[in-house]
Amino acid sequence: MERRKLFQGETWNYLCLEAELPSAGDFVAVHVGETPVIVTRDHDGEIYAFENRCSHRGSLLALEDRGNVKDFTCVYHAWTHNLQGDLVGIAFKDGIGGKGGMEKSFCMNSVGPRKLRVANVEGLIFGSFDEDVDDIEDYLGEEVLGRIRRVLQGRKVVVLGRFTQVLPNNWKLYVENTKDSYHASILHTFFTTFELNRLSQKGGIIVSPNGGCHVSYSEIDQAAEAEKAANNIYSEQKIRSQSDLELADKSLLGNFKEFDDDITLQILTVFPGFVLQQIQNSIAVRQVLPKGTDKMHLKWTYIGFEGDTAQQRRARHKLSNLIGPGGYVSMEDGCIGGFVRRGTEGASDTNAVLEMGGREIEGGDDRITEASIRGFWSEYRMRMGI
């Protein structure tokens, strides 16, 4: 049901960065849910996306993750597809010596891998299998779209690194985690110890009208910084903060002023499985991909920008140690979904409690809320018809 109604339904799924396709013939092999997809740049300069599936017997067309090609010829029987996914050639189509071959009535235009509708949002490439899906701007909502533009600012993206993390839980548990706007001050000891995120900071959440897209953010409260009046908020709440932890090299946390505001952390999600993060100057995109019901892949791509100085690029590289499977901040996110999966096995007749901040899905200037998680499940139920 999820494959049909979410990943192949009226939703927009993140595919890749435009920066990964700089030249004609460039391609990347990605997934929409569990469906393999090829994204290309054709000689007309446009970006196209279609199933990574030969229209003959279903073999993969692209066997590498990325590259540059003139077309996609299946290794099985040499059926050839162009950069837009059209079938343009069939080996032995007319047979040999007047024998064999395809029927005279066969039309190559009548078969081919399914194509996706493509949208470009500030260099982020999204695709949908449904031609009637809402325009991406309406799908995201004005506030979420504005927060994407806030981070990317029309700058030319440079890929700094990428990896895939395998997690032992259903994909929706990780999505819940990205929409949980207050666990960072509890689960992530590094955040509180080195004061990257404090409950005394200003901030809030934004939830799209349907509930599935969201932004959570925190920003420096200059008045609180000056007074340092809330330094004991964690101990007052009996929240652990191991102040005995230290960094041998504190330049790891070096940062620079990149944005006009005082927002130091912004996590943005697009339903069903895309994340754009800004943690200080560490900017990355994440793609959540289901692999069955109890495993998922989390694809990370770290980014910088062409205009970065050498010092800024160095700072981004150092700050990248905060995230990922061994990241000082996000290491715990890689295991908490597994803890939930293991804890809920055998408890399918009970419910989770998602009432922090009430029962509504509206955003506001409060991060101690589960409104964006409730929003995700609201849109999930609507799109699944349950």
Side-chain angles (χ1 to χ4, degrees):
M1 253 178 108
E2 288 179 351
R3 185 181 297 118
R4 185 175 72 256
K5 294 191 174 186
L6 296 187
F7 299 105
Q8 296 180 11
E10 294 182 41
T11 63
W12 285 102
N13 290 269
Y14 173 74
L15 300 177
C16 66
L17 296 163
E18 182 182 16
E20 297 179 90
L21 304 167
S23 305
D26 286 346
F27 77 91
V28 291
V30 298
H31 284 82
V32 171
E34 293 180 295
T35 304
V37 168
I38 297 172
V39 191
T40 68
R41 188 184 291 275
D42 200 358
H43 293 278
D44 61 2
E46 297 297 317
I47 292 175
Y48 297 89
F50 50 93
E51 273 185 303
N52 188 359
R53 174 184 62 83
C54 179
S55 47
H56 178 212
R57 301 270 287 280
S59 174
L60 290 172
L61 289 171
L63 302 178
E64 303 293 332
D65 289 339
R66 61 193 69 247
N68 184 278
V69 296
K70 63 181 180 65
D71 55 41
F72 294 94
T73 299
C74 180
V75 297
Y76 199 177
H77 299 94
W79 283 38
T80 300
H81 304 72
N82 64 19
L83 295 173
Q84 297 185 26
D86 301 317
L87 177 62
V88 294
I90 297 176
F92 308 119
K93 177 176 178 292
D94 298 322
I96 297 178
K99 296 180 180 179
M102 303 296 289
E103 291 286 341
K104 299 298 182 184
S105 61
F106 177 76
C107 176
M108 288 197 293
N109 292 333
S110 66
V111 298
R114 288 177 294 177
K115 297 184 179 182
L116 286 77
R117 180 178 168 186
V118 173
N120 188 333
V121 181
E122 296 291 317
L124 305 173
I125 305 301
F126 290 86
S128 178
F129 278 102
D130 194 314
E131 277 294 324
D132 297 323
V133 65
D134 291 341
D135 290 343
I136 189 73
E137 294 80 7
D138 296 328
Y139 184 87
L140 295 171
E142 185 176 338
E143 289 186 290
V144 174
L145 181 59
R147 290 303 182 118
I148 292 176
R149 289 171 174 160
R150 172 196 164 269
V151 172
L152 300 178
Q153 299 179 347
R155 296 177 287 179
K156 192 165 184 180
V157 168
V158 175
V159 175
L160 303 183
R162 57 173 70 87
F163 56 82
T164 300
Q165 183 177 0
V166 179
L167 299 182
N169 53 262
N170 186 274
W171 68 277
K172 296 185 290 296
L173 289 177
Y174 186 82
V175 172
E176 273 196 351
N177 179 269
T178 65
K179 293 173 179 289
D180 186 327
S181 53
Y182 74 98
H183 79 272
S185 299
I186 303 171
L187 178 66
H188 301 310
T189 302
F190 192 92
F191 255 149
T192 54
T193 300
F194 297 98
E195 298 189 330
L196 294 180
N197 188 65
R198 297 184 294 283
L199 295 176
S200 60
Q201 288 180 313
K202 295 189 293 185
I205 65 168
I206 298 166
V207 183
S208 63
N210 284 337
C213 304
H214 106 291
V215 181
S216 61
Y217 62 95
S218 60
E219 58 183 300
I220 296 171
D221 186 330
Q222 298 295 352
E225 285 294 304
E227 297 177 8
K228 292 291 183 182
N231 280 349
N232 295 322
I233 191 166
Y234 292 99
S235 59
E236 292 169 2
Q237 293 286 332
K238 297 183 178 180
I239 295 173
R240 62 189 175 88
S241 178
Q242 297 179 16
S243 58
D244 58 323
L245 294 176
E246 295 182 358
L247 281 172
D249 180 4
K250 293 188 178 180
S251 70
L252 178 78
L253 299 179
N255 59 80
F256 56 93
K257 180 71 174 175
E258 183 169 7
F259 304 100
D260 294 334
D261 52 37
D262 289 322
I263 294 176
T264 58
L265 182 147
Q266 176 179 292
I267 303 296
L268 181 152
T269 65
V270 176
F271 187 90
F274 169 75
V275 182
L276 171 64
Q277 68 151 62
Q278 175 228 332
I279 301 176
Q280 302 284 5
N281 305 109
S282 176
I283 301 175
V285 296
R286 313 177 203 168
Q287 185 183 23
V288 181
L289 296 173
K291 297 294 178 182
T293 59
D294 59 1
K295 188 171 76 170
M296 57 160 282
H297 285 184
L298 179 61
K299 297 182 69 175
W300 301 72
T301 305
Y302 298 102
I303 64 174
F305 303 95
E306 267 197 358
D308 289 346
T309 66
Q311 292 80 5
Q312 290 171 335
R313 185 65 51 79
R314 180 65 172 162
R316 293 196 199 280
H317 277 129
K318 286 195 171 187
L319 286 166
S320 69
N321 288 286
L322 299 178
I323 62 170
Y328 291 132
V329 170
S330 65
M331 175 170 54
E332 297 90 349
D333 290 329
C335 61
I336 197 67
F339 293 168
V340 174
R341 180 184 62 80
R342 289 158 59 189
T344 55
E345 284 180 339
S348 60
D349 57 344
T350 59
N351 298 311
V353 179
L354 291 173
E355 297 187 14
M356 184 67 77
R359 296 186 177 183
E360 304 303 318
I361 65 172
E362 287 79 12
D365 59 1
D366 179 13
R367 287 181 293 150
I368 313 302
T369 177
E370 290 165 330
S372 49
I373 304 176
R374 292 191 291 270
F376 167 76
W377 285 112
S378 177
E379 179 146 350
Y380 179 91
R381 289 168 63 86
M382 180 268 290
R383 294 194 179 277
M384 291 286 285
I386 57 176

